[in-house]
Amino acid sequence: GNSVTQMEGPVTLSEEAFLTINCTYTATGYPSLFWYVQYPGEGLQLLLKATKADDKGSNKGFEATYRKETTSFHLEKGSVQVSDSAVYFCALYTDSSYKLIFGSGTRLLVRP
Amino acid sequence: NAGVTQTPKFQVLKTGQSMTLQCAQDMNHNSMYWYRQDPGMGLRLIYYSASEGTTDKGEVPNGYNVSRLNKREFSLRLESAAPSQTSVYFCASSEAGFRNQPQHFGDGTRLSIL
C-alpha cells in the first residue's frame, strides 16, 4: 500500500544552521507530494508541494525536490530561524487512493 | 476570512458519553475531511465527504459517524466515547479532492475521554 516514512525527531539545530528532514515514500502510480507544517496549538498549513518527478517545491526559504528514482522528497532550508520551530509532515496523494497519506511528523526545535 | 472553524477547542468526556464535533468552512469548498492526530502516528483519515450529500469511510472510521449538513458544515459524532478516542481531531477542506489542491485545516479539537 501507499506509505510515507519520515526521519524520527526531534531535530534540534542552532539558528542559521542547515536543515534537512528526510522523507521517502511508497506508492503505486504517480503521487503528488506535500510538506505541511504545524505550529504549536494550530492546524496544519501547506508549506510546499510537487506534482511530478523532478519538480521542486519552494516556500519561505524551504525547498524539496520530487525524486522518483529514489522515491524521496526531502525538505531543506539553508538557514533556519527560531520561528521555524514546528512539526513538519510529509504527505502523498494518488488518484487511486483518493486520500492524503501523512508521515508521522518530525519535530524541529531551533535554538537561538 | 475565517477559513475552517472547529468547535469546541477542548472537551473532556466520560466513557460512554456522546458528543458531536462541529466544523464549518467559508471557502465554498466541495470536499471536507475529519482526521485524528495521535503521537507518533501523523494524521489518520476518519471520514471524508467528497461533495455535499456524500460521505465515505477513511482509514479509522470505527466508533464515529459523520453528517454533511450542507456545503459549509461537516460534523463528527462519537456515539459512545471510549478512552481510545482520546486524540486531537482536525477538520479540513479542499476545492476538489487532493491533487493540486492544498487542504485547509482548522485549529483542532483536543478531546480527552476518561
Side-chain angles (χ1 to χ4, degrees), chain B residues 39-92:
Chain B
M41 300 187 73
L43 275 75
R44 293 181 292 170
L45 184 65
I46 304 171
Y47 270 93
Y48 66 98
S49 171
S51 61
E52 185 179 356
T54 69
T55 61
D56 287 284
K57 294 178 180 179
E59 301 171 75
V60 289
N62 292 345
Y64 305 95
N65 285 301
V66 290
S67 296
R68 184 73 183 266
L69 305 171
N70 47 54
K71 192 171 186 179
R72 291 187 64 249
E73 299 172 289
F74 188 40
S75 63
L76 178 71
R77 183 163 178 83
L78 287 70
E79 290 291 353
S80 179
S84 61
Q85 294 177 305
T86 293
S87 188
V88 181
Y89 292 85
F90 287 99
C91 179

Side-chain angles (χ1 to χ4, degrees), chain A residues 13-54:
Chain A
L13 296 173
S14 297
E15 206 166 21
E16 300 184 359
F18 184 87
L19 168 71
T20 300
I21 299 178
N22 290 338
C23 171
T24 57
Y25 67 90
T26 302
T28 54
Y30 301 93
S32 293
L33 301 173
F34 305 84
W35 276 101
Y36 283 83
V37 58
Q38 183 180 30
Y39 298 103
E42 298 183 10
L44 278 70
Q45 303 174 27
L46 179 69
L47 181 60
L48 53 85
K49 65 181 180 182
T51 58
K52 61 183 187 296
D54 300 325

